[in-house]
Amino acid sequence: MPEIKTPEMGTPVWMDLMTPDLEKARAFYGPLLGWSFDVGTKDTHFYTMCKVNGLNAAGMGQLPPGMDVPPAWTCYFGVEDIDAMAESVRKHGGQVGMGPMDVFDQGRLAICSDPTGAHFGLWQSLKHPGAQVEHEPGAMTWREVNTRDAAKALAFYAAVFGFESKKLEGMGDMQYWTLHKGKTAVGGVLQMDANWPAETPAHWMNYFAVADADVAVKQVTEMGGKVLQPPEDSPYGRLAVVEDPSGAPFVVIHLSETSPEM
């Protein structure tokens, strides 16, 4: 994959992990996803750039002590005017929990939630444009919002980001829509049903590509993580839902070479 130099605005441009133990996270994700790390300074709270072949693939930040927030991966959508987008989030029923705020000279950030409660980020870039690589082992490749009110979520993301939705047919009882920005498939929306535990809130689930999903799952368990859903085949590749040792969930997927367009 060529280096991404100018991410498309209005699409996912970055993912980062907020975790209580950065050193433990690096020890887990480095072998699992083949990452090398560029660890920041005390001034940046040791924010860590995770790299694939020298290119920025994702980030890791330290959860402040005492903050009652579960460890999680956050997907950020690139925007040109973060203040206007934050206002649009509020206008269409979402909430802005943090920001917009400056992140040194790198860009401006806001953490938001949609009307169903799923959290996501906004990023207005300055020196840091976002991920430089995607859709290859170790890089972000997909994301979806799991929600109990898909209709409300679809309406929100259409109004705020201009996403068009397409319902996937032939999914049995599962209701799933893909979200599109022009010709770019940016993510999905899954209707959570009675099979989901009642206490599971709406959330964005983020995917990383791996060379072999079964090998990745074995590594997860060996390094103290958990398998929430064992590997299974899909039209888009073989995937599994896992959890890192701190409890942050994510998906590993070996992308199908003949994966159809979402």
Side-chain angles (χ1 to χ4, degrees), residues 5 45 100 108 130 144 153 183 185 235-236 248:
K5 295 186 181 295
H45 306 288
R108 302 194 73 215
E144 64 204 9
K183 295 182 180 180
Y236 308 100

Side-chain angles (χ1 to χ4, degrees), residues 70 72 99 124 155 178 207 215:
Q124 180 180 331
T178 52
Y207 289 52
V215 170

Side-chain angles (χ1 to χ4, degrees), residues 111-128:
I111 301 297
C112 308
S113 58
D114 69 27
T116 75
H119 297 282
F120 63 93
L122 302 175
W123 180 252
Q124 180 180 331
S125 67
L126 292 173
K127 287 190 174 181
H128 175 59

Side-chain angles (χ1 to χ4, degrees), residues 132-213:
Q132 298 171 311
V133 59
E134 59 183 3
H135 309 315
E136 64 178 74
M140 64 183 194
T141 190
W142 189 247
R143 70 292 302 167
E144 64 204 9
V145 58
N146 299 326
T147 174
R148 299 186 191 279
D149 194 336
K152 184 179 286 187
L154 289 166
F156 172 81
Y157 291 105
V160 174
F161 294 105
F163 294 160
E164 296 182 13
S165 60
K166 299 179 182 178
K167 188 172 185 181
L168 291 186
E169 303 299 336
M171 303 294 287
D173 293 333
M174 185 172 75
Q175 297 187 68
Y176 194 100
W177 293 259
T178 52
L179 300 173
H180 301 259
K181 184 79 170 180
K183 295 182 180 180
T184 304
V186 299
V189 175
L190 172 67
Q191 174 70 50
M192 296 165 67
D193 58 23
N195 293 318
W196 287 75
E199 67 274 13
T200 304
H203 59 281
W204 277 90
M205 181 64 77
N206 298 291
Y207 289 52
F208 287 104
V210 293
D212 187 312

Side-chain angles (χ1 to χ4, degrees), residues 8 24 35 73 106 129 166 168 177 211 247:
E8 183 179 352
K24 190 174 183 179
W35 284 346
W73 282 98
Q106 299 299 302
K166 299 179 182 178
L168 291 186
W177 293 259

Side-chain angles (χ1 to χ4, degrees), residues 92-103:
H92 295 289
Q95 297 184 9
V96 180
M98 178 187 297
M101 58 183 285
D102 294 332
V103 182

